[in-house]
Every structure is written in structure tokens, then in C-alpha cells.
Amino acid sequence: LLFLPLVALLLYRYNATFHYFCKVAFFNCWIVAMATLLCPVAALRGRSVKNMKLLRAAILPLKHLCGIKIRVWGSEHLNIKEPYVIVCNHQASLDIMGMVEVMPDGCVPIAKKELMYMGIVGWACWRPRVLLVGVYAHISPCPVKLRVFVFPEGTRNQDKSMLPFKRGAFHLAVQAQVPIFPIVISPYWDFFSSKDKKFTSGTCTIRILPKVETRGLSPKDVPELTETVRQAMADVFTEMSANGCGDQRAEQPLHP
């Protein structure tokens, strides 16, 4: 028993698979623990989008604890007051760190309804009015003027290209006549891979692209709009893949 901590430490240091499972377990336990601690506070405040600030504050330290450096480019694009829809590529559960890094005030993510049944985590998502939908491809118009954050691929994808986008977020933007902001998170390949059981320290770059207007568009324009945004994001993702940590030519980082 005395040697077990030493063995665990050696395995963590020299065995990549053991290291991967330890960090993934810590990542998930942190989220569950924070959700548990914040639920009483959120309950006292009522079901409000303002509770999203609590979740953001609880998740933001994870990048430091996991050894992930996050750089954000183009943050000035989100400095507008009106509602909008954010669409982002979806690679892994680590995306939650990137999401809270760029998510503005008054913004909530859209998630699958099944998340509601994940115990304390589902309840913690319900308190800040996370929009839970049953069919990801069909989202009804939002009843309040919120900013929403959507992963239009609908599932995690660690391939070198993006999956086809679900159209729900684009229908929502067109119905509300609000702009769309594409956001691209650089590949995690250098430091994270669930397939190869790798989870080390590394740098992640997030690029916020200029807004895409939807004023004057109708539902019949949604398919073309969806593909146009997807292609623009795929091009940036490919560029970031080639450059390692992303393109740094045009903008100043929010978090150097």
C-alpha cells in the first residue's frame, strides 16, 4: 500500500494511457463537482440566464489545471449589443473550455435534451436556461431575445474535416433575422486524442470570424447559408491545422 502512490505517480508520468485516463477523470469530476456546488446558489437565484456566469467562472480554471493555453483572435467581432447566433465546430468535451472562454454575457448554449437526464449536471444546465432540444436539426424560434451558442455538427468529431452541419441554428437565425458568428477552435491533435489516449499540455487557438448577416433571408435560403458558413469554417480549420496553433496575422489575442 505504501508503494501504490509512488507507482501511480510513475504511471502518470511515464504511461501515456494512464495519464490520459487520469486527466479525463479529473476533467469530468471537476465539472460534476462544480455543478454540485453551484446548484444551491443557482436555485436561490431562480432559473435565469445570469446563472451562466457562475458556470463560466467555475469552468474557466480548468484550462490552467489541465495545462491548456487558450488564445482568442477576433474577439472584437462579438462587441455588439443585439442578439445573435454563434456556431462552433465540435471536437471533444474539451470544447466546453473554449466555449466559456468566448461566450459573452446573455448567451446560453443549445444542447440535446438527453443532457437533462445526466443527474446534477443536467439540473445545473437547466438552471441557467440552457436550451434543450429533442431534435437537433429542428429548433423552434427562441421565445426571448437571447444570444445562443450552437455546435451545428451535432456530435463530437476529431477528423480532419468538419461533419455536415445541422440546419437548426441557421433556421433560428433566419427566423429571428439576427446575425451568425462562426467560431473555429483549432485542432487538439498535438495534445489530445481520445483514439490514441493522449492528453498532454498544449495550446489551443480560437478564431471568431466576422458576422454573417441573415436580414432579408427566408427559410428557403437556409441550405445555402448553412453550407456557406460551414465551408468558411472548414477553410479556416484547414488553415489552422497547417499553421499549428492558428493564423495570427490579422488580430490581437484576447489572452496572450
Side-chain angles (χ1 to χ4, degrees):
L1 290 177
L2 293 176
F3 281 103
L4 283 179
L6 178 61
V7 171
L9 181 62
L10 291 174
L11 285 173
Y12 182 81
R13 185 179 180 90
Y14 296 109
N15 186 284
T17 301
F18 187 80
H19 186 96
Y20 166 84
F21 282 112
C22 285
K23 291 191 74 170
V24 168
F26 173 81
F27 181 91
N28 292 322
C29 287
W30 179 273
I31 293 176
V32 172
M34 291 300 103
T36 303
L37 291 173
L38 292 176
C39 275
V41 180
L44 292 174
R45 299 177 64 176
R47 190 170 186 238
S48 169
V49 68
K50 294 181 180 179
N51 286 327
M52 200 65 209
K53 289 184 178 181
L54 296 176
L55 287 178
R56 288 183 67 242
I59 295 173
L60 279 172
L62 259 180
K63 64 182 179 182
H64 302 296
L65 298 173
C66 292
I68 306 300
K69 182 178 180 181
I70 298 179
R71 299 186 296 188
V72 181
W73 304 89
S75 57
E76 70 277 2
H77 295 313
L78 297 180
N79 294 334
I80 61 175
K81 295 182 179 180
E82 63 262 30
Y84 46 77
V85 174
I86 295 174
V87 293
C88 181
N89 59 314
H90 193 15
Q91 301 179 74
S93 56
L94 271 61
D95 293 338
I96 192 172
M97 294 190 294
M99 182 182 72
V100 300
E101 192 77 19
V102 300
M103 182 177 286
D105 292 339
C107 183
V108 295
I110 291 181
K112 294 181 179 180
K113 186 173 65 176
E114 288 75 14
L115 185 64
M116 189 64 186
Y117 306 111
M118 292 181 63
I120 195 69
V121 174
W123 195 82
C125 290
W126 183 77
R127 297 307 300 181
R129 298 190 68 174
V130 171
L131 303 180
L132 303 171
V133 296
V135 181
Y136 206 92
H138 299 86
I139 303 173
S140 300
C142 186
V144 290
K145 291 293 184 179
L146 291 176
R147 298 163 180 172
V148 297
F149 194 109
V150 188
F151 295 107
E153 289 174 281
T155 189
R156 299 170 189 173
N157 172 39
Q158 295 185 37
D159 293 337
K160 294 185 178 181
S161 61
M162 294 185 188
L163 297 174
F165 282 3
K166 310 291 186 181
R167 296 177 182 173
F170 302 91
H171 275 292
L172 178 62
V174 169
Q175 289 166 350
Q177 294 288 281
V178 298
I180 297 170
F181 282 96
I183 291 182
V184 183
I185 301 176
S186 64
Y188 300 144
W189 307 326
D190 290 342
F191 59 88
F192 179 85
S193 171
S194 58
K195 180 180 179 181
D196 298 330
K197 301 297 181 289
K198 178 175 68 174
F199 194 169
T200 62
S201 300
T203 299
C204 169
T205 300
I206 302 174
R207 285 188 61 181
I208 303 171
L209 307 186
K211 67 180 179 181
V212 178
E213 289 288 358
T214 64
R215 292 177 183 175
L217 299 183
S218 66
K220 68 179 182 180
D221 299 310
V222 168
E224 181 179 355
L225 173 66
T226 303
E227 186 53 34
T228 298
V229 173
R230 180 194 174 278
Q231 189 58 54
M233 293 174 63
D235 290 343
V236 171
F237 186 78
T238 300
E239 179 184 342
M240 297 172 85
S241 302
N243 293 339
C245 291
D247 187 7
Q248 304 176 11
R249 293 173 301 175
E251 296 149 334
Q252 294 299 316
L254 180 65
H255 302 285

